[in-house]
Each structure stands twice: as structure tokens, then as C-alpha cells.
């Protein structure tokens, strides 16, 4: 059974960097899937923010491109998110998810349980 | 970017009702559309992919249809476990986008 587990600080100061890690079990992160981050502000809908392939290739949402970095560690079977210059607008539950499908067309079949990150002083 | 619009935003229904949720795309996404169910405090759960393919383990009362710009999710007979928020997602082209959600409430 594929499982994803997010971890990281739940509180980030404004202008700081939000950093999260997603550990994958039950599947190799080096396989033929892409690995995504999706966030959900409190009481609002879902927003895809970026994804990575085990080769290191990344695709980011344009509105976040200047602030976001997604990286991968094949040895630890995990991938990470960094979002710099955080503001209150980045307060959200952050989910990691497995992208599955065909080339450049992925839906999300496995999700982590989500972790709430609050940006506040 | 492709905008996804769901209707209605909220739906009140009773156990046993047939429920239909609509999702419209601002441009064609072919059949590259997925549906998710989300309960409070939980991660989304994949129900349908490629517009009409049922994810393994999902009850057959859930079905999807459509192509191009208009899609529907149907629950043939609403069960107590189905009261939740439902989201559509297009994955035809970057950057993936979700509808704003449809909350199915108890009538």
C-alpha cells in the first residue's frame, strides 16, 4: 500500500521560508510517477503548486515560480517543498500526492494526510 | 490557464437520492478529468479518472461522464458516507487546476 507522510514546522514567520518533506513508502520515488504538492487554505479549495520527477525535472505554478523549490532525495525515498518569502496568503494545509497517468497528464491517486502551515509572527 | 467551474456550490439531498454535480472547463480538456471526494480534516480521495474510469475500490454508485468542456459526476443512490465535498480536476495541460468544490449536505 502506497503511503505518503508530510512533515515540517507548523508555524512560519512572515518573510521566512516554509519547508516541508514528504516521505513515500510502498512505492519507489524513482519509478514512473511524478510527485506533487497541493495546498488548501482554510475553508477554501485545492491548489496545485508544483511537481517533480525523480530525474529532478520540475514544473511549478507560474504565480509561485519565483519563490518555490521542489527537490527529491531518491536514497531517502522522499521529496521536499521550500516556499520562500512566506506571507499570510501561504497559510494552508499542504498535501503531497502521487501523480499517476500518462506523459504530462497526471491525476492524484495517493495523498498524504496533510499538514497545516500557518504563516504568522 | 484552464478555469474549472463546478455547479452547484452546495447541494442538499437525502439518503437514496440520485445526485449530479457538473464541472465545466474554460477550454477543452478532452477526457483528462478526475473527481475527488474530501471529508472534513481529511485528504482528497480519488473517485474517477479519465472522466469515467472508476478508481479501484470506489463503489459503483459513483460514475462520471463527459468530454471536452462539460463533465458530470453522478451518485446513483446517495449513502450516509457520501456527504462530503467533491472536486473536479483537469490534467489535460499545465497547470493542473481544480474546481472550487461542491458540498453535498444532508437535506
Amino acid at each position: 500500500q502506497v503511503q505518503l507522510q508530510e512533515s515540517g514546522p507548523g508555524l512560519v514567520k512572515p518573510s521566512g521560508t516554509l519547508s516541508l518533506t514528504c516521505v513515500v513508502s510502498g512505492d519507489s520515488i524513482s519509478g514512473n510517477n511524478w510527485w506533487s504538492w497541493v495546498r488548501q487554505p482554510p475553508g477554501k479549495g485545492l491548489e496545485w503548486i508544483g511537481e517533480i520527477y525523480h530525474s529532478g525535472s520540475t514544473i511549478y505554478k507560474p504565480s509561485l515560480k519565483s519563490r518555490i523549490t521542489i527537490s527529491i532525495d531518491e536514497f531517502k525515498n522522499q521529496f521536499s517543498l521550500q516556499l520562500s518569502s512566506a506571507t499570510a496568503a501561504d497559510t494552508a494545509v499542504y498535501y503531497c500526492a502521487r501523480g499517476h497517468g500518462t506523459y504530462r497528464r497526471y491525476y492524484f491517486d495517493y495523498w498524504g494526510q496533510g499538514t497545516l502551515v500557518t504563516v504568522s509572527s | 490557464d484552464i478555469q474549472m467551474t463546478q455547479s452547484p456550490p452546495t447541494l442538499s439531498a437525502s439518503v437514496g437520492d440520485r445526485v449530479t454535480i457538473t464541472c465545466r472547463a474554460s477550454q477543452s480538456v478532452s477526457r483528462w478529468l478526475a473527481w475527488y471526494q474530501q471529508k472534513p480534516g481529511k485528504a482528497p480521495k480519488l473517485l474517477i479518472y479519465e472522466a469515467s474510469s472508476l478508481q479501484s475500490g470506489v463503489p459503483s454508485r459513483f460514475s462520471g461522464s463527459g468530454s471536452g468542456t462539460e463533465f458530470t459526476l453522478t451518485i446513483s443512490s446517495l449513502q450516509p458516507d457520501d456527504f462530503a465535498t467533491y472536486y473536479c480536476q483537469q490534467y489535460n495541460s499545465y497547470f493542473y487546476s481544480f474546481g472550487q468544490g461542491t458540498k453535498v449536505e444532508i437535506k
Side-chain angles (χ1 to χ4, degrees):
Chain A
Q1 174 74 340
V2 179
Q3 293 185 321
L4 293 84
Q5 176 78 51
E6 307 92 346
S7 64
L11 182 64
V12 175
K13 292 189 185 306
S15 77
T17 296
L18 184 159
S19 297
L20 296 173
T21 295
C22 179
V23 176
V24 178
S25 58
D27 187 21
S28 171
I29 207 164
S30 303
N32 201 29
N33 295 298
W34 283 67
W35 303 92
S36 277
W37 289 97
V38 177
R39 70 181 181 180
Q40 185 171 37
K44 296 189 178 179
L46 300 163
E47 178 189 22
W48 174 83
I49 62 175
E51 65 182 9
I52 190 165
Y53 192 59
H54 65 80
S55 64
S57 296
T58 54
I59 299 178
Y60 300 139
K61 186 167 184 176
S63 59
L64 298 173
K65 195 170 185 178
S66 63
R67 301 195 290 127
I68 188 173
T69 302
I70 298 176
S71 58
I72 198 162
D73 186 332
E74 292 184 85
F75 297 105
K76 293 183 178 179
N77 218 45
Q78 65 185 39
F79 62 107
S80 299
L81 168 71
Q82 287 194 312
L83 190 62
S84 63
S85 303
T87 71
D90 296 314
T91 294
V93 174
Y94 285 77
Y95 296 99
C96 55
R98 188 178 84 166
H100 189 68
T102 60
Y103 181 70
R104 298 286 187 177
R105 293 191 168 102
Y106 306 108
Y107 55 89
F108 308 115
D109 59 350
Y110 289 97
W111 296 67
Q113 86 283 358
T115 188
L116 174 63
V117 179
T118 301
V119 180
S120 175
S121 54
Chain B
D1 292 4
I2 299 176
Q3 308 301 318
M4 307 301 292
T5 303
Q6 289 182 231
S7 60
T10 305
L11 187 159
S12 296
S14 302
V15 173
D17 285 353
R18 181 181 181 87
V19 166
T20 299
I21 299 168
T22 297
C23 177
R24 289 187 174 86
S26 60
Q27 62 190 76
S28 176
V29 299
S30 187
R31 292 182 58 81
W32 305 112
L33 185 108
W35 288 97
Y36 301 88
Q37 176 194 68
Q38 187 179 35
K39 296 181 179 179
K42 300 293 186 182
K45 173 188 174 183
L46 176 68
L47 300 175
I48 302 282
Y49 62 95
E50 281 183 48
S52 62
S53 295
L54 194 67
Q55 173 70 352
S56 176
V58 174
S60 59
R61 63 180 179 273
F62 291 93
S63 64
S65 64
S67 65
T69 62
E70 187 153 339
F71 301 85
T72 59
L73 173 70
T74 300
I75 308 172
S76 60
S77 177
L78 197 66
Q79 299 302 300
D81 191 47
D82 301 338
F83 292 97
T85 300
Y86 294 84
Y87 293 93
C88 61
Q89 177 228 340
Q90 69 81 18
Y91 54 102
N92 178 67
S93 60
Y94 290 105
F95 303 92
Y96 303 140
S97 48
F98 293 86
Q100 80 280 17
T102 294
K103 185 175 183 179
V104 177
E105 298 181 327
I106 300 172
K107 190 172 185 179

